[in-house]
Amino acid sequence: MTTTRRIISLLAAGLAATLALSACGGSGDEGGPDAEGRTSIDMWVFAELHGTYYEAMAKQWNEKNPDKEIKLDVTVFPYDEMHNKLQLAVNAGKGLPDVVDIEVNKFSNFVAADGRTPLADLSEAAEPYQDDIVQARMDLYTREGKLLGYPTHVGAQVAFYNVPLLEKAGVDYKTIKTWDDFKAAGAKYNKATGKAFGVASTDTNITQPLIMAQLGGNLFDEDGNPTVNSPEIVEATELQQEMQKAGAISTIPGGSPDIEEAYGPINDGEYAAIVYPAWYTSRFVDYMPDLAGDIAIAPAPVIEGGEVATIGGGGTGTSVIESSPDKDFAMEWLAFAKLSPEANVAVWEELGFDPVNMSVWEDEEVTHNPENKYNKYFQTNLFDVLNEVKGDIGHFESFADPNLPKVDEVFTGSTYNQIFGDGVPAKKALDQAQADLENQLK
Amino acid sequence: MAVLRRLLYSQKAAPYLFIAPFVITLLAFWLVPLARTFMLSTQEVVFGQAAFIGLDNYQRLWEDRLFWKAMFNSARYMVLTIALLIPIPLVLAAAINSKIGSERVKAVFKASMFVPALTSVVVAGVIFRLMFAESGTGLMNQIVGVFGLDPVRWLRIDTGGLIALLALAMWRWTGVNILYFLAGMQAIPEEYYEAATIDGAGKVQQFFHITLPNLKPTIVYVTTISIYGGLAMFLESFMLYRGNASPNDQGLTVIGYLYRRGIEQNDLGFASAVGVVLLVVIMTINLTFLTLSGTFKKESAR
């Protein structure tokens, strides 16, 4: 009997651990400014760089507002841990921060299908800046008329071409306008060099939605039911599968261009064309120093007669927790830290992201600053490309759907691996994804 | 003081007082959470607000392909770890226990086999992930390269991932199981072997007719914890695939699925249903096994 008892207690420990996961108690902060007139704000982020950025913005705020200073306390967690911790804290109603960065694929976990949410409506604090902000990026974090998060960047998808490699293979990137051109160029390049041209991501859902959106597809119908095997989605995926067969795109170690395993091969010239959001500039500068001066930024390929030219990819919404005692103060500071022109200049200069405040895009002094490390690195200027597609940056509605996290998980967990890794026909893999999702969402 | 003394000397009350810490721990950390899990599994929890939905979670679970995939993965892992981690350590333990070889060498061997159990799974998982990397420079790919084979995309194919998981389990648990078996073997009286030698039994016969039958309690124990350990495996896969997502969910285990639905997707009710089903499955297998192996029979009846 002792053995069974031991098993039972082991099991119990496991179960207890699973259930007893609750966040640590709150800090006991009752809100309002302290004796020195500073208001304490707790903030959680999942990227070190973002933390540094917010601290810089807190400093700027304090210089401008000596009468209501902020005492910002940023905690950086790893990506998964932060979102899981936030989710548990939200369920427990305890141990929450005042302000938090939420990644776009996780954002919908914090808004129930019926609109219930622990996040505060930020629309009012955004008003002074509203007109200059790319609306599509605000829509991304808007649910039932409530703006629940401020965007960090546009993340407009662009193409990055390795010019010397392309020239050697006789390919001129300037002639690539549509995906058909991209496919032909890729096939030619692949034939000439035997190397991969573009990337077929198995572990991220970023480039694929671009083509889905260009074709006018959607991952959900009007009632929010998944439609991942609808004609446009199948067509977009088949198009990529054909590109893979033609040699224009190939799988990459690590499953996506944005992961440590992939930076090495790209830096070594194993891949010559990356279609990814504009914030990928920072990855080139930080992780691929050997390619300095080789990379040209161009508009992402389009579908002839397609719905939109490009969409934003990835993103981080910054939210204020509704139950925070310093809610109003936090909102005011956050609007300054994320939407003001000063903040957006910093977003470009510090982080290398394409800022959401369009007034910055036209400020030549900022965008064409020859001292800027991003401008030094690339052959073409990012903002020239962005201004070219500016009026045509679409909003992919599916990105704001409450069930996006589940679709994202099925796609990056199985579907894309089946399609690009195992060569399963796109339609078949998407049919299975649809069946899985229908059951999960029942 | 007087009350306490009376309590401690009372024949009736004292035993309860002494077992109280255990009973309280059991209630607080087992029965209460268990009851809460059953309750949660019939609810839908959104941002801390729970609504009763009956057996809906169980029905969804039954129809969920991914749950069955996770169940299959866990069961397969459990069966294979038992198939590997009982016979191999048993033979190694018999070799260490035998009179052949230098004692010092055997002691070093024993100690070195045990070290992996002391290292953290987190570290081990990271190292194994690098060993089984898909590039040609990974350790395993260099090894297959020696045989003139192409690099294998280990963690992206089902069999490759399974081999990596089993290798990790072997590396980690062989030494522990050797110690269990060794302890069992050293408790077998020397006289049995002497008598058998006099009767003319060889080493192999002695192993099968003396060592194995006398080791039965140890084997039953090791098997029981391996059934639990195999079905409840999570961290190894989590570290190997750097997170809970693996290609085609080839590394998804039942606990991994529980974690995904409960913690990552905010569906605590459904996750609790997964936990309850896993508990029932493990208890059924183990109780059946323990009954069949005669563990529950009275000492005299064995």
Side-chain angles (χ1 to χ4, degrees):
Chain A
M1 238 354 240
T2 47
T3 43
T4 4
R5 201 163 288 153
R6 189 165 303 184
I7 310 304
I8 290 171
S9 52
L10 272 172
L11 257 179
L15 274 171
T18 324
L19 293 169
L21 281 164
S22 61
C24 324
S27 54
D29 179 9
E30 273 163 31
D34 62 7
E36 292 158 45
R38 296 187 303 172
T39 308
S40 289
I41 295 292
D42 271 335
M43 179 168 196
W44 292 358
V45 300
F46 57 85
E48 183 85 53
L49 261 176
H50 291 197
T52 331
Y53 166 78
Y54 288 121
E55 270 165 15
M57 290 322 293
K59 219 170 143 197
Q60 278 201 31
W61 167 271
N62 287 346
E63 280 162 15
K64 287 196 166 167
N65 300 284
D67 54 324
K68 42 176 180 179
E69 291 196 357
I70 182 172
K71 191 174 152 201
L72 184 68
D73 190 3
V74 181
T75 316
V76 185
F77 295 100
Y79 175 85
D80 279 323
E81 275 80 343
M82 197 216 79
H83 290 100
N84 294 344
K85 195 174 157 69
L86 184 65
Q87 204 138 275
L88 290 164
V90 159
N91 271 325
K94 270 188 207 152
L96 285 156
D98 299 303
V99 183
V100 64
D101 260 0
I102 306 174
E103 204 261 343
V104 63
N105 277 314
K106 296 274 185 186
F107 201 85
S108 288
N109 279 343
F110 300 95
V111 194
D114 56 10
R116 267 184 292 168
T117 177
L119 310 177
D121 183 1
L122 306 172
S123 345
E124 216 169 291
E127 240 151 60
Y129 312 103
Q130 191 79 39
D131 295 340
D132 287 330
I133 308 292
V134 178
Q135 191 55 39
R137 298 309 279 181
M138 299 287 242
D139 293 347
L140 195 53
Y141 306 109
T142 303
R143 303 285 190 279
E144 323 238 316
K146 288 199 274 184
L147 175 63
L148 302 175
Y150 289 147
T152 308
H153 56 68
V154 177
Q157 306 220 22
V158 293
F160 299 91
Y161 297 107
N162 189 324
V163 181
L165 291 180
L166 260 61
E167 275 172 0
K168 243 183 265 167
V171 176
D172 179 9
Y173 78 87
K174 287 180 188 133
T175 61
I176 302 176
K177 300 283 180 213
T178 67
W179 284 107
D180 285 337
D181 300 339
F182 187 87
K183 184 174 159 190
K188 185 176 169 193
Y189 178 88
N190 180 255
K191 219 171 184 183
T193 60
K195 284 187 183 166
F197 184 67
V199 174
S201 297
T202 50
D203 293 10
T204 52
N205 185 33
I206 288 183
T207 319
Q208 300 90 338
L210 169 63
I211 306 181
M212 294 170 191
Q214 288 172 337
L215 283 168
N218 222 323
L219 298 170
F220 303 91
D221 65 14
E222 275 159 22
D223 306 320
N225 301 310
T227 55
V228 301
N229 59 351
S230 60
E232 295 88 2
I233 304 297
V234 172
E235 192 188 337
T237 319
E238 274 172 352
L239 193 118
Q240 291 171 82
Q241 198 162 29
E242 279 158 25
M243 283 201 272
Q244 188 188 20
K245 280 187 193 136
I249 56 173
S250 315
T251 54
I252 191 165
S256 117
D258 189 20
I259 195 164
E260 282 87 349
E261 281 103 317
Y263 300 145
I266 297 173
N267 190 31
D268 293 342
E270 300 289 328
Y271 295 81
I274 315 283
V275 179
Y276 229 60
W279 46 259
Y280 199 68
T281 46
S282 62
R283 309 304 195 264
F284 274 111
V285 173
D286 289 349
Y287 301 110
M288 296 167 235
D290 295 352
L291 299 182
D294 289 352
I295 305 292
I297 308 174
V302 297
I303 297 282
E304 212 154 331
E307 300 281 322
V308 292
T310 188
I311 57 167
T316 301
T318 315
S319 303
V320 172
I321 303 291
E322 177 75 41
S323 59
S324 156
D326 292 314
K327 189 176 86 172
D328 295 321
F329 177 83
M331 281 199 239
E332 200 188 337
W333 171 74
L334 192 62
F336 166 79
K338 297 218 70 168
L339 305 179
S340 68
E342 301 90 306
N344 280 268
V345 170
V347 163
W348 161 243
E349 286 180 346
E350 305 283 325
L351 306 174
F353 297 164
D354 46 347
V356 287
N357 192 318
M358 293 258 213
S359 61
V360 177
W361 293 24
E362 273 135 37
D363 188 347
E364 293 256 327
E365 224 167 276
V366 175
T367 58
H368 283 78
N369 177 4
E371 289 308 304
N372 181 289
K373 60 178 172 176
Y374 299 101
N375 286 343
K376 277 187 190 162
Y377 186 98
F378 294 99
Q379 285 193 359
T380 50
N381 187 284
L382 174 65
F383 289 92
D384 291 346
V385 176
L386 290 175
N387 283 321
E388 202 174 312
V389 294
K390 189 165 142 185
D392 217 2
I393 301 176
H395 166 55
F396 188 46
E397 262 167 50
S398 310
F399 277 161
D401 193 277
N403 290 315
L404 178 73
K406 294 197 174 81
V407 172
D408 188 65
E409 199 156 304
V410 170
F411 273 9
T412 57
S414 333
T415 315
Y416 292 147
N417 272 293
Q418 289 170 358
I419 295 171
F420 301 119
D422 310 336
V424 174
K427 175 90 173 76
K428 195 177 157 201
L430 289 167
D431 281 343
Q432 191 193 48
Q434 175 75 11
D436 286 350
L437 284 164
E438 272 172 19
N439 183 63
Q440 275 194 36
L441 298 173
K442 218 174 347 198
Chain B
M1 261 331 269
V3 180
L4 190 64
R5 178 166 299 169
R6 204 154 355 111
L7 205 62
L8 284 174
Y9 282 97
S10 147
Q11 292 238 333
K12 272 196 185 127
Y16 292 105
L17 187 71
F18 289 129
I19 63 162
F22 173 73
V23 173
I24 292 167
T25 323
L26 187 75
L27 285 177
F29 291 105
W30 189 59
L31 265 186
V32 173
L34 192 63
R36 276 286 288 148
T37 311
F38 275 110
M39 247 170 70
L40 260 179
S41 73
T42 60
Q43 292 174 333
E44 186 180 29
V45 188
V46 180
F47 305 136
Q49 294 163 305
F52 180 76
I53 54 164
L55 293 177
D56 275 12
N57 285 327
Y58 290 96
Q59 200 200 331
R60 282 199 295 160
L61 187 69
W62 181 260
E63 291 162 1
D64 194 340
R65 185 184 68 89
L66 279 180
F67 170 72
W68 291 108
K69 169 128 198 176
M71 204 46 132
F72 169 78
N73 284 345
S74 289
R76 179 175 71 169
Y77 176 81
M78 185 261 289
V79 170
L80 289 174
T81 43
I82 290 177
L84 290 170
L85 277 172
I86 305 267
I88 296 173
L90 195 58
V91 170
L92 289 175
I96 293 174
N97 199 37
S98 70
K99 291 188 185 66
I100 38 174
S102 134
E103 280 306 316
R104 198 170 293 164
V105 173
K106 284 196 286 190
V108 171
F109 179 72
K110 208 159 68 180
S112 59
M113 289 302 277
F114 191 71
V115 169
L118 303 175
T119 49
S120 121
V121 187
V122 175
V123 176
V126 172
I127 303 285
F128 270 71
R129 191 162 63 79
L130 294 173
M131 276 167 52
F132 285 90
E134 56 189 289
S135 61
T137 48
L139 179 69
M140 295 312 281
N141 274 338
Q142 289 193 348
I143 292 175
V144 297
V146 171
F147 298 101
L149 299 168
D150 286 334
V152 180
R153 300 169 78 219
W154 290 102
L155 297 179
R156 297 207 161 256
I157 53 171
D158 192 27
T159 336
L162 184 63
I163 290 173
L165 273 179
L166 290 175
L168 180 53
M170 284 289 289
W171 174 79
R172 195 166 158 78
W173 296 113
T174 305
V176 179
N177 285 2
I178 287 179
L179 282 197
Y180 281 134
F181 290 132
L182 209 52
M185 283 173 189
Q186 277 160 2
I188 303 172
E190 200 55 31
E191 290 82 16
Y192 293 180
Y193 292 102
E194 275 169 31
T197 317
I198 291 165
D199 288 344
K203 285 281 171 208
V204 177
Q205 273 175 310
Q206 285 181 17
F207 178 77
F208 281 106
H209 294 283
I210 298 173
T211 313
L212 270 190
N214 279 295
L215 265 186
K216 191 176 151 194
T218 316
I219 296 175
V220 169
Y221 172 69
V222 174
T223 312
T224 313
I225 56 169
S226 303
I227 290 172
Y228 165 73
L231 285 175
M233 187 270 286
F234 166 61
L235 194 54
E236 283 86 344
S237 159
F238 191 84
M239 291 320 298
L240 198 63
Y241 289 105
R242 200 168 52 179
N244 209 3
S246 51
N248 282 328
D249 291 310
Q250 59 185 30
L252 185 70
T253 67
V254 178
I255 301 283
Y257 196 51
L258 183 154
Y259 184 83
R260 175 185 295 180
R261 296 306 291 271
I263 311 287
E264 294 176 349
Q265 294 184 349
N266 207 13
D267 196 347
L268 288 173
F270 188 90
S272 301
V274 175
V276 169
V277 171
L278 180 65
L279 175 73
V280 170
V281 168
I282 292 180
M283 290 306 279
T284 313
I285 297 179
N286 268 339
L287 291 179
T288 315
F289 171 68
L290 290 171
T291 314
L292 289 179
S293 63
T295 310
F296 294 141
K297 284 186 200 141
K298 289 247 161 61
E299 196 64 33
S300 55
R302 273 193 205 167

